[in-house]
Amino acid sequence: MLASLLSPIAEALDLAFAMTWEILWALVLGFALSAVVQAVISKGEMSRLLPDDSPRSLAIACGLGAASSSCSYAAVALARSIFRKGADFSAAMAFEFASTNLVIELGILLAVLLGWQFTLAEFVGGPIMIVILALLFRAFLRPELVELARRQADKGVPGVMEGHAEMDMSVGGGSIVSRVRSREGFTAISHYYVMDWASIWKDIALGLLIAGALAAWVPESFWQGFFLVDHPLLSKIWGPLIGPVVAMLSFVCSIGNVPLAAVLWNGGISFGGVAAFIFADLIILPILNIYRKYYGRRMSLFLLATFYTSMVAAGLVVEVLFQALGLVPDERNAKVIEASVTWNYTTFLNIAFLALSAVLVVRFLRTGGPQMLRMMNAPAARHPDAHAEHVGHADQAERASRPTAADEGYACPMHPGVRGGPGDRCPRCGMRLERRDDSTRS
């Protein structure tokens, strides 16, 4: 009796672990590349660069979003932050969409688990979805609703991952290569890498467990009936309509959606349905509740309606476009059931990238990372502004021009030019200043 109960659970866990092993190297590579991009691109200029909903501002919003963290909660928090600092609301929402749908790690994971066609669909459909959203906002978003949302946003009601969203550890000066190779750049990369993992590992784990359970327990006949496989034309319309609804109810966002998408694709959902499902990480129920806190009930309902519409429309466009170009895969062979742990190229890649991960984690631990990690989920008001808006570079220069005995002994481990006394924090990244040894004093 006990064995019969444990057998399905063991099968689900085995599939979840096998999928984890299959995508591990891709996750490490994706987060490492994302950390490099974040380390050389500052968040501080976002509000100034997004003053309106013009095509130029929306394009910049997409670029900035693609260069930021893939964590949906952090993206939502940062979008509110730049909106409060003066960015246009439509541009802030475009940034939010891009930061979860146009990021490097998502594309790599889709290619490994589902195939390159899905990666291409994501990067083609993402901008289409943002354009549709911008058109919906222009048609239906009223200034009075934006003003109500701004008043609610200015209340600073706490959400999730606000500390992570606010922190800016980017390195300036010199070429991109020199910034990446510098001591400060290496430290910033290690911090972004670990913090991105810390912000999203629960979603990844939950997504893999749900995917393993669905693959092991739900019969293929159920999925085929649910996705109307026997009605080819209707299924192509139904997929984008139902995909976001399934995502909403899964409670899994961002990267964690990809294993679930693989299960749905094998089960029979349309190509455009997979795209719409992946797009819908920003309307899962916990995030809808955050919208209510951030912008009020009316705006949260408006966002749900417009986000869902743009996701469905983008999924339908992807379906039609990729069918016309002959890019929709003929076989449904996402690496779910077939995933296994063997001595192949995946294992060797995992070993290599786990070694890289260990190097970055060690650097993180040696440069005050745990202290910053504790601040990651704190409301923005409880830690220094990430880009020194309330302190300013002039104040840093003024402090440096009048050093004391204490000032000469303490500096930020990431920004050595920022000095102070014991107990002070760096106004750029929020880290506590550390005593410098004699070799680093000027």
Side-chain angles (χ1 to χ4, degrees), residues 315-380:
L316 289 169
V317 171
V318 165
E319 180 72 46
V320 172
L321 179 62
F322 277 64
Q323 287 283 356
L325 296 175
L327 294 176
V328 176
D330 295 324
E331 298 181 359
R332 296 177 180 270
N333 56 357
K335 293 181 179 178
V336 180
I337 303 297
E338 299 84 356
S340 60
V341 179
T342 58
W343 280 102
N344 55 15
Y345 78 94
T346 298
T347 298
F348 288 107
L349 285 172
N350 282 341
I351 293 173
F353 281 98
L354 283 173
L356 170 63
S357 184
V359 170
L360 293 172
V361 170
V362 169
R363 181 68 173 182
F364 172 82
L365 294 174
R366 290 181 174 177
T367 52
Q371 179 181 334
M372 291 192 69
L373 189 60
R374 286 192 292 271
M375 302 193 319
M376 188 173 71
N377 203 27

Side-chain angles (χ1 to χ4, degrees), residues 238-257:
W238 176 244
L241 287 170
I242 197 63
V245 177
V246 176
M248 286 175 62
L249 301 177
S250 73
F251 279 72
V252 180
C253 63
S254 193
I255 304 298
N257 262 347

Side-chain angles (χ1 to χ4, degrees), residues 172-237:
S175 66
I176 291 178
V177 174
S178 66
R179 279 180 267 171
V180 170
R181 296 178 60 183
S182 68
R183 176 180 177 274
E184 294 82 5
F186 182 28
T187 300
I189 291 169
S190 71
H191 283 230
Y192 275 121
Y193 176 78
V194 175
M195 288 184 180
D196 282 353
W197 267 108
S199 67
I200 209 169
W201 75 267
K202 292 180 182 178
D203 283 293
I204 295 174
L206 184 59
L208 287 164
L209 288 173
I210 294 176
L214 293 178
W217 300 344
V218 179
E220 186 175 333
S221 58
F222 170 83
W223 292 122
Q224 291 181 346
F226 185 70
F227 293 128
L228 309 178
V229 172
D230 293 334
H231 306 275
L233 179 59
L234 192 57
S235 68
K236 290 178 175 59
I237 300 172

Side-chain angles (χ1 to χ4, degrees), residues 129-142 302 305-311 313:
M129 178 175 59
I130 291 170
V131 170
I132 294 171
L133 180 69
L135 293 175
L136 289 173
F137 275 18
R138 285 199 175 189
F140 300 108
L141 183 58
R142 298 291 177 258
F302 178 83
T306 53
F307 282 13
Y308 175 79
T309 302
S310 62
M311 292 162 184

Side-chain angles (χ1 to χ4, degrees), residues 69-134:
S69 167
S70 63
C71 173
S72 301
Y73 293 104
V76 171
L78 184 52
R80 181 181 69 162
S81 174
I82 62 178
F83 172 57
R84 292 179 66 187
K85 294 174 183 176
D88 178 79
F89 187 77
S90 298
M93 294 301 104
F95 165 85
E96 183 179 299
F97 267 43
S99 56
T100 61
N101 290 295
L102 299 179
V103 289
I104 300 169
E105 54 267 44
L106 178 62
I108 294 174
L109 195 56
L110 283 169
V112 170
L113 209 53
L114 282 154
W116 64 267
Q117 298 93 331
F118 291 89
T119 300
L120 182 60
E122 189 69 16
F123 286 99
V124 170
I128 291 173
M129 178 175 59
I130 291 170
V131 170
I132 294 171
L133 180 69

Side-chain angles (χ1 to χ4, degrees), residues 424-437:
D424 288 348
R425 292 183 182 274
C426 173
R428 292 188 62 190
C429 65
M431 291 183 62
R432 192 179 297 277
L433 305 189
E434 298 179 357
R435 181 177 292 279
R436 300 174 300 144
D437 56 38

